[in-house]
């Protein structure tokens, strides 16, 4: 796994071999969680894709707003050139979606995070109807929010990620669905020490997280897509994904033959 400072150096090497006029500035969101595998992986994949596509790029990191929808709108006003997000029809209308699932569908597999004292609430849950009796929380502008509500789950919308974890930690919310990709990194946070992943129970729905590129940067969109396709063909894409996430995925508390997967419908994908 490459540290971010090394990734930037790799891009700089590519820039060094290009004529100055050929170097393209690419504004992307600044890393919000420096130690999270998810963010490092997305930077690493993007950088390698641009190199494979021979697209000389100078990466510029931009502070972003915590609201996902607002960041996607920033692709239209020039504040950002590229952003990554779970897909929805509305989001795909705002920018060019590179329709290669960056997390291989695992973004739609959701561990249920709960206060450790509430684990017994989940012992007998096997159906969507039973789960709907408990309370959950999601970002008010996240595509997940609509999916969960559409499936009849009891969801409280919030705008602040920290508050979502606080309410769950305090037991005021029964569970907080987090993707298989994110949950292990998040629970390493010291303030989350009394949170646990519910064992042998998770929810899932079809979805994908894509790179979204400003409609004003078609060459960038083409380069990202071509670069990832090259990585898929030579095996680098799969190798990079499992380098970052194999350990986390294998460490989730799900026992083969005993785990309940509650499948949700996603009419927006």
């Amino acid at each position: 796994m490459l540290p971010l400072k090394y990734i930037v150096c790799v891009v700089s090497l590519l820039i060094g071999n290009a004529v100055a006029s050929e170097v393209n500035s690419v504004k992307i969101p600044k890393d919000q969680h420096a130690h999270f595998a998810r963010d490092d992986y997305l930077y690493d994949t993007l950088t390698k894709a641009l190199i494979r596509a021979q697209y000389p790029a100078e990466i510029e990191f931009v502070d972003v707003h915590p609201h996902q929808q607002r960041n996607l709108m920033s692709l239209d006003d020039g504040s950002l050139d590229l952003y990554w997000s779970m897909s929805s029809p509305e989001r795909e209308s705002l920018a060019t979606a590179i329709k290669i699932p960056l997390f291989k569908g695992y973004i739609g597999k959701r561990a249920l995070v709960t206060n450790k004292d509430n684990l017994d609430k989940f012992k007998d849950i096997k159906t969507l109807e039973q789960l709907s009796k408990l309370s959950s929380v999601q970002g008010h502008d996240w595509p997940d929010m609509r999916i969960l509500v559409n499936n009849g789950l009891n969801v409280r919308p919030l705008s602040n990620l920290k508050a979502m974890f606080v309410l769950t930690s305090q037991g005021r919310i029964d569970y907080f669905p987090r993707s298989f990709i994110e949950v292990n990194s998040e629970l390493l946070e010291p303030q989350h020490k009394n949170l646990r992943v519910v064992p042998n129970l998770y929810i899932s729905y079809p979805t994908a997280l894509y790179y979204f590129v400003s409609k004003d940067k078609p060459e960038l969109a083409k380069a990202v897509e071509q670069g990832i396709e090259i990585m898929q063909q030579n095996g680098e894409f799969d190798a990079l994904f499992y380098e970052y996430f194999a350990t986390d995925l294998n460490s989730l508390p799900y026992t083969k033959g005993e785990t309940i997967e509650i499948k949700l419908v996603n009419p927006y994908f």
Side-chain angles (χ1 to χ4, degrees):
M1 188 179 301
L2 298 175
L4 183 56
K5 64 181 180 180
Y6 180 73
I7 296 172
V8 175
C9 288
V10 172
V11 179
S12 298
L13 289 173
L14 179 61
I15 294 169
N17 294 326
V19 179
S21 61
E22 295 177 341
V23 176
N24 303 281
S25 175
V26 179
K27 296 189 287 290
I28 67 174
K30 185 178 180 181
D31 189 357
Q32 299 296 302
H33 309 101
H35 67 283
F36 279 17
R38 162 188 159 138
D39 295 321
D40 288 344
Y41 165 78
L42 290 167
Y43 289 133
D44 202 351
T45 301
L46 173 63
T47 303
K48 285 179 166 59
L50 294 177
I51 293 173
R52 298 296 170 264
Q54 300 184 35
Y55 185 88
E58 181 176 12
I59 301 296
E60 179 182 347
F61 298 98
V62 178
D63 289 321
V64 295
H65 196 277
H67 293 171
Q68 297 178 8
Q69 194 76 3
R70 189 171 298 184
N71 289 322
L72 280 159
M73 294 172 68
S74 295
L75 295 172
D76 190 47
D77 65 19
S79 301
L80 285 175
D81 297 318
L82 180 145
Y83 187 64
W84 40 83
S85 168
M86 215 175 92
S87 185
S88 73
E90 293 82 5
R91 294 182 175 196
E92 291 185 20
S93 72
L94 294 172
T96 302
I98 309 303
K99 293 193 174 184
I100 300 173
L102 295 168
F103 290 131
K104 298 180 173 293
Y106 284 104
I107 198 72
K109 293 183 182 294
R110 299 284 165 147
L112 308 183
V113 173
T114 189
N115 181 296
K116 62 184 180 182
D117 295 328
N118 285 339
L119 284 170
D120 282 348
K121 290 185 177 183
F122 299 87
K123 287 177 64 175
D124 298 320
I125 291 181
K126 294 180 171 58
T127 68
L128 180 59
E129 183 180 4
Q130 291 172 322
L131 187 61
S132 69
K133 302 295 191 291
L134 301 182
S135 60
S136 64
V137 65
Q138 288 285 277
H140 75 94
D141 67 335
W142 297 356
D144 315 83
M145 178 72 196
R146 292 174 63 190
I147 297 167
L148 299 185
V149 170
N150 182 74
N151 282 270
L153 292 175
N154 178 13
V155 192
R156 178 174 175 178
L158 289 179
S159 59
N160 185 284
L161 180 62
K162 181 179 178 180
M164 298 180 214
F165 278 108
V166 169
L167 289 179
T168 308
S169 181
Q170 293 174 344
R172 295 165 61 187
I173 293 293
D174 292 319
Y175 67 97
F176 184 12
R178 304 302 295 152
S179 82
F180 285 13
I181 295 299
E182 303 161 316
V183 67
N184 284 309
S185 293
E186 292 172 337
L187 294 193
L188 290 175
E189 296 282 283
Q191 65 269 31
H192 299 160
K193 61 184 179 181
N194 67 331
L195 293 174
R196 299 289 186 274
V197 173
V198 174
N200 294 329
L201 176 69
Y202 68 93
I203 62 176
S204 68
Y205 39 89
T207 189
L209 186 140
Y210 299 141
Y211 287 129
F212 285 82
V213 180
S214 167
K215 292 182 178 180
D216 293 330
K217 294 289 185 84
E219 298 85 2
L220 174 61
K222 182 179 179 180
V224 172
E225 184 171 25
Q226 288 181 339
I228 297 177
E229 287 175 346
I230 292 170
M231 293 172 67
Q232 288 177 316
Q233 292 165 7
N234 67 20
E236 187 176 12
F237 183 77
D238 285 352
L240 190 64
F241 176 84
Y242 290 111
E243 176 186 346
Y244 273 93
F245 301 114
T247 299
D248 282 350
L249 292 172
N250 290 330
S251 68
L252 289 168
Y254 305 134
T255 305
K256 187 175 181 179
E258 298 179 17
T259 299
I260 302 296
E261 176 186 5
I262 297 178
K263 295 183 179 181
L264 310 186
V265 175
N266 181 2
Y268 314 108
F269 180 68

